[in-house]
Amino acid sequence: MADLDLDLMVLGAGSGGVRAARMAAQLGARVAVAEVAATGGTCVNVGCIPKKLYSIAAHYAEDFAEAPGFGWPESAPKLDWGLLKSRRAAEISRLNRVYEGLLDGVGVKLLRGRARMAGPNEVIVDLAEGGQARVKARHVLVATGGHPIHLAIPGCERAVVSDQMFDLPEFPRRLVVVGAGYIACEMASIFHGLGAEVTQLIRGDGLLRGFDADIGRFLAGEMQKKGVELCFGRKPVAIGHSDDGLFVHVDDGSRIGADTVLMATGRGPNTHGLGLAEIGVKLRPNGSVIVDAAGASNLPSVHAVGDVTDAPQLTPVALAQAMVVVDRLFGDGRRSFDPTLIPTAVFTHPNVGTIGISEAAARERQHRVKIFRSEFRPLKHTLSGSDERSLMKLVVDGDSDKVLGLHMVGAEAGEIVQGFAVAMGMGATKAQFDSTLGIHPTMAEEFVTMRTPVAEA
């Protein structure tokens, strides 16, 4: 293949890489993207999209169970795991083609193969079709994403990681999930909803570290009510195999049987083999690329976005970072985004939605805070027979009245919080929340009807 001379060479065709390539091309830059796997990255292939599709599937079991309370006859549906997998695979394939079309539509060349840096302005791509492409580029953007990390214990090779959960050959009757982060909690909720017996091993004493403490506490209670067995203060020490399947040895001496063991114990950056350290790019001990707020590394020609950096591992963050980098390189350099205002959804059952900072973070920053909190039974469950409850919480600066954090556990939390993210981004105050009319009866109206603080200090 002939050598290429480009303005921007992008390593990785995930959310951040594709967004950067498209924007740069639309601004007149000559751009190519190298990708060794399916286009769309983690989000499309083994992350956000399949996860939410399976979460929706899992909710149908609850809907069927709750339907008699609304006058519908009882039924006993059975999950067709094979059909769900094939339907998901078809949708992912469609999205892969969409991503390829987005690149092609703006003239971005897609190089299928594994890339590595040969110099600050030089990339070599070992093409899947054979041979190499040698690329000279004014700028190189590293957007290679991340990968799940196994907990290093005897027998860990018998466990699976989150990437594999969507296409397990057989649906697991018994699932053990190791971890307390959002991926662990989501998979525990989803597979319990789909019909598995789920045990979640949690080394610490709470869920969702880094979120507001009330969120983790409340979610734990709701997950336990639904039947997920949460084992706090316990961690696996080995994974064995018997005629009855797998078993997990726990540090308290107990043994838990399983058909599948999921290691949801963190993710690491995909920088191995890229040649970054060899050309002088500074990396953290875990391999992530060190960048500033505008995505620039210590080398003027090398930039990075998304999960390969130490940024929050969320698709919208990678997209926002990509736009900042491209605007800095090929635009007017005015674009930025506020990392303290990242709307986040966790597709547990029930969902979690949050934006802004936690109560603990507000106090650490020496704000005088007011806390508004409401726990209630949603209207739906007055007839459904479910004992599911919802939590809504506001963290407010007691001096300026500005809303610093908004947190929710409940149905469609992500959909609700997205709307409030606009107000938060505009610096909304509690008084402005109070002056907003609520839509009745909805869950979202609770955020504009909480009047009395439960804590103030």
Side-chain angles (χ1 to χ4, degrees), residues 59-98:
H59 273 298
Y60 277 101
E62 289 184 340
D63 290 342
F64 288 131
E66 294 167 359
F70 291 88
W72 294 93
E74 293 189 28
S75 59
K78 181 180 179 182
L79 174 69
D80 187 330
W81 177 239
L83 179 60
L84 175 59
K85 290 194 296 181
S86 67
R87 293 284 290 162
R88 180 217 81 237
E91 173 58 12
I92 300 310
S93 294
R94 184 189 72 82
L95 290 175
N96 295 148
R97 294 191 296 272
V98 167

Side-chain angles (χ1 to χ4, degrees), residues 21 77 115-116 186 192 291 300 370 412:
R116 66 184 188 277
E186 287 174 332
H192 176 267
V291 293
K370 293 182 178 180
E412 302 294 347

Side-chain angles (χ1 to χ4, degrees), residues 249-323:
H249 288 288
V250 186
D251 61 351
D252 65 354
S254 63
R255 192 171 103 161
I256 304 171
D259 301 301
T260 299
V261 178
L262 167 63
M263 288 284 189
T265 48
R267 294 176 64 83
N270 289 332
T271 52
H272 180 72
L274 293 183
L276 295 172
E278 290 80 355
I279 67 168
V281 176
K282 291 183 178 179
L283 307 176
R284 288 182 176 78
N286 71 344
S288 63
V289 182
I290 299 174
V291 293
D292 63 16
S297 78
N298 62 298
L299 296 188
S301 61
V302 179
H303 320 269
V305 299
D307 293 359
V308 79
T309 72
D310 67 341
Q313 297 179 353
L314 300 167
T315 294
V317 171
L319 298 176
Q321 288 179 312
M323 292 187 286

Side-chain angles (χ1 to χ4, degrees), residues 148-283:
I149 297 174
H150 266 288
L151 190 64
I153 59 174
C156 63
E157 71 280 357
R158 296 186 172 100
V160 300
V161 294
S162 58
D163 291 2
Q164 300 166 275
M165 290 297 291
F166 304 106
D167 211 26
L168 293 173
E170 301 291 335
F171 185 81
R173 179 173 56 87
R174 302 165 301 167
L175 172 67
V176 172
V177 178
V178 181
Y182 71 91
I183 294 175
C185 294
E186 287 174 332
M187 289 298 179
S189 287
I190 289 168
F191 276 82
H192 176 267
L194 292 173
E197 297 176 7
V198 178
T199 302
Q200 188 171 348
L201 297 179
I202 301 143
R203 181 177 58 183
D205 58 2
L207 301 178
L208 299 180
R209 183 169 57 88
F211 286 71
D212 189 274
D214 279 344
I215 295 295
R217 173 193 59 78
F218 192 87
L219 177 65
E222 293 303 305
M223 289 177 65
Q224 288 171 319
K225 284 195 301 188
K226 290 180 183 294
V228 176
E229 184 177 357
L230 301 182
C231 300
F232 293 103
R234 297 167 69 186
K235 61 182 179 180
V237 295
I239 301 173
H241 183 269
S242 69
D243 291 341
D244 190 39
L246 302 175
F247 54 87
V248 180
H249 288 288
V250 186
D251 61 351
D252 65 354
S254 63
R255 192 171 103 161
I256 304 171
D259 301 301
T260 299
V261 178
L262 167 63
M263 288 284 189
T265 48
R267 294 176 64 83
N270 289 332
T271 52
H272 180 72
L274 293 183
L276 295 172
E278 290 80 355
I279 67 168
V281 176
K282 291 183 178 179
L283 307 176

Side-chain angles (χ1 to χ4, degrees), residues 8 24 33 104 106 153 179 223 270 319 322 350 410 447:
L8 179 65
V33 177
D104 185 64
V106 291
I153 59 174
M223 289 177 65
N270 289 332
L319 298 176
F447 276 125

Side-chain angles (χ1 to χ4, degrees), residues 4-21:
L4 298 176
D5 187 7
L6 303 171
D7 297 305
L8 179 65
M9 179 66 199
V10 180
L11 311 186
S15 300
V18 169
R19 175 64 62 87

